[in-house]
Amino acid sequence: MIIITSSITLDEDEIQETFIRATGPGGQNVNKVETAVQLRFDIAHSTSLPDYVKNRLLGMADQRLTGRGELIITAQRYRTRERNRADALHRLIELIRAASVRRAIRRPTKPSRASQERRLSHKTKHANTKKLRGRVVP
């Protein structure tokens, strides 16, 4: 079990990892060793996540999300397979944590009487200043 938050845990069987060759510089090692990790997580069929988290994750307009509701995270930042696995898992956990935070509902409020008066007095002062910049009559 992977602990995401105090109320959300993720079953390790829902995550699939495949190892691929990393791109970029690295000499002969990069052509021989598969150190990059491609982590796949099927959001749509996950039993660990609550519905509101699933909806938020599926609502992302992101290139990491496939049409079938599968999230693909590729980690190739490090030279070792273990560090790339940890990096991909950390990025998945952070993404789910961000989606699990419920935003506060905004309730529209009215401006106070004092703030309205301050606004209007500022407007009149500004208008008077601009009026004084007018053409000088000889």
Side-chain angles (χ1 to χ4, degrees):
M1 287 300 223
I2 301 166
I3 298 171
I4 307 292
T5 63
S6 59
S7 61
I8 300 173
T9 56
L10 198 62
D11 193 14
E12 292 176 8
D13 296 335
E14 294 183 17
I15 297 172
Q16 300 165 348
E17 291 177 339
T18 53
F19 300 100
I20 55 176
R21 290 185 182 151
T23 60
Q28 293 177 353
N29 190 50
V30 81
N31 297 326
K32 296 187 298 186
V33 184
E34 295 177 340
T35 55
V37 178
Q38 195 173 55
L39 184 136
R40 290 177 173 269
F41 176 64
D42 194 0
I43 299 168
H45 297 100
S46 173
T47 55
S48 303
L49 296 179
D51 287 336
Y52 74 94
V53 177
K54 282 186 196 179
N55 292 335
R56 281 219 186 106
L57 285 172
L58 290 171
M60 303 184 310
D62 202 337
Q63 68 271 10
R64 296 175 291 192
L65 202 60
T66 65
R68 296 184 309 170
E70 199 173 51
L71 181 70
I72 301 173
I73 297 175
T74 306
Q76 58 183 7
R77 209 178 287 177
Y78 302 104
R79 292 186 68 150
T80 62
R81 185 181 280 194
E82 291 78 25
R83 286 185 73 185
N84 282 329
R85 283 182 72 194
D87 182 40
L89 190 61
H90 177 73
R91 284 163 46 191
L92 175 69
I93 290 170
E94 288 303 312
L95 196 65
I96 296 174
R97 274 191 191 143
S100 68
V101 174
R102 294 186 187 211
R103 290 181 179 81
I105 299 170
R106 187 190 180 286
R107 291 183 176 82
T109 57
K110 294 180 182 176
S112 67
R113 185 176 191 147
S115 71
Q116 285 178 343
E117 288 173 4
R118 277 194 306 269
R119 181 179 143 267
L120 291 176
S121 71
H122 176 72
K123 281 179 74 167
T124 13
K125 284 179 188 173
H126 194 62
N128 289 335
T129 307
K130 288 179 132 289
K131 213 181 274 185
L132 291 174
R133 290 184 195 154
R135 212 170 89 185
V136 178
V137 179

